[in-house]
Amino acid sequence: MQSHDHTPGQNHQELTYLPVPFPKTPPKEPRFAALRDWWNKAWDVDGVLYDMWEDILSAPEDGLRDMAPWLRAVFAVAGVSFVVLMANAAGEVILEALQQLITAVPRVQVGVDTSSGVAAVVDQPVRTYIAQHSAGLAVEGSTVYTLWLLTGIVGLVLGYLSRNNGVRAMWTAWGAATVFMVWTTTPAAGRPIAAGLAVLAWTFLSAFAMRGLTLRRRVVAGRPAKVTVKPEIHVPVQPPAAEQHPHSGCPFRD
């Protein structure tokens, strides 16, 4: 049995669904588009990079005082970094040289009577004390003795040249430690004499190490008071007496 359409003369098959159009995918933005846009704007007139480039070009003419603040900051940071690096390198070289100098002195005989004369009264007890108390340390007793000598020499020289209170304190501590070592190590019979000679020697050298030190309080003269002198001269003037009639005292008046 054939089915007839309502529309005469046309035969077609009914579709169960209508085709749905798919949405188009939006075009992708190019990668780093925002960065490229910022870069272009920064190089425009009055842009950030444009102004910085102008500051760099005008820096030789402006000089260090009138150049842009950010350029001065960059130069300051670069200068400080260079100084720190140089100081670090110099410090390593100095420490290495000092280490070689100190470790190269184990030939100094500590605890052995190698000195003579008056100096031996102070030097030999110090050597003996260091030899007795340096056992078990990471350094040799001779290295400790060398450090003790260097500390005294540095305190004496720098105290004479710089007059620094910190150096003077180091010199004082060094002298007290020396007297203590002499008093501790010297036999009881000669202990007072040895300690006294150590104190006398340290006092004599302190005249150079503590040059300029005074216990008097500094009196700073104040500034003279300012006196303002004004040239005005005020002369008190009495008001003129009231004019009287020549016949005021006469009983007969006109």
Side-chain angles (χ1 to χ4, degrees):
M1 183 176 179
Q2 295 181 357
S3 62
H4 299 279
D5 294 336
H6 297 286
T7 304
Q10 293 184 0
N11 297 326
H12 66 280
Q13 185 179 2
E14 294 182 357
L15 299 176
T16 58
Y17 65 90
L18 296 176
V20 179
F22 292 97
K24 295 182 179 180
T25 305
K28 294 183 179 180
E29 294 184 0
R31 185 176 297 180
F32 305 116
L35 180 61
R36 188 178 296 108
D37 186 24
W38 177 87
W39 178 266
N40 294 332
K41 291 181 180 179
W43 280 107
D44 290 339
V45 179
D46 296 335
V48 178
L49 297 180
Y50 181 85
D51 293 340
M52 294 177 68
W53 181 249
E54 290 294 330
D55 293 338
I56 294 174
L57 293 180
S58 60
E61 299 179 0
D62 296 339
L64 186 60
R65 173 178 292 182
D66 298 329
M67 68 173 53
W70 70 271
L71 270 179
R72 283 184 292 181
V74 170
F75 287 147
V77 172
V80 171
S81 302
F82 178 77
V83 171
V84 170
L85 291 176
M86 293 298 295
N88 189 17
E92 292 180 357
V93 173
I94 293 175
L95 289 177
E96 184 178 357
L98 184 61
Q99 180 69 18
Q100 293 179 356
L101 177 63
I102 293 176
T103 55
V105 193
R107 299 176 183 176
V108 178
Q109 297 180 4
V110 178
V112 181
D113 297 339
T114 57
S115 56
S116 58
V118 180
V121 178
V122 178
D123 185 65
Q124 291 179 6
V126 171
R127 290 173 181 266
T128 304
Y129 184 90
I130 293 176
Q132 292 175 354
H133 294 81
S134 61
L137 296 179
V139 293
E140 297 291 336
S142 58
T143 304
V144 178
Y145 177 77
T146 304
L147 288 176
W148 174 78
L149 286 178
L150 288 177
T151 303
I153 294 173
V154 169
L156 177 62
V157 175
L158 291 184
Y160 178 80
L161 296 177
S162 65
R163 300 185 182 183
N164 185 273
N165 291 332
V167 178
R168 289 169 175 172
M170 181 184 69
W171 170 258
T172 304
W174 181 86
T178 302
V179 174
F180 174 77
M181 288 188 288
V182 172
W183 176 267
T184 304
T185 313
T186 305
R191 183 174 296 169
I193 301 297
L197 290 177
V199 171
L200 288 177
W202 178 81
T203 305
F204 173 76
L205 295 176
S206 296
F208 301 95
M210 297 189 176
R211 181 175 64 97
L213 180 64
T214 178
L215 299 179
R216 293 182 180 180
R217 185 177 180 181
R218 290 186 178 182
V219 179
V220 181
R223 296 181 179 179
K226 294 183 179 180
V227 179
T228 304
V229 179
K230 296 184 178 180
E232 294 90 350
I233 301 176
H234 299 279
V235 179
V237 180
Q238 296 181 355
E243 294 182 0
Q244 298 179 356
H245 196 272
H247 302 286
S248 60
C250 183
F252 302 97
R253 299 180 180 176
D254 296 339

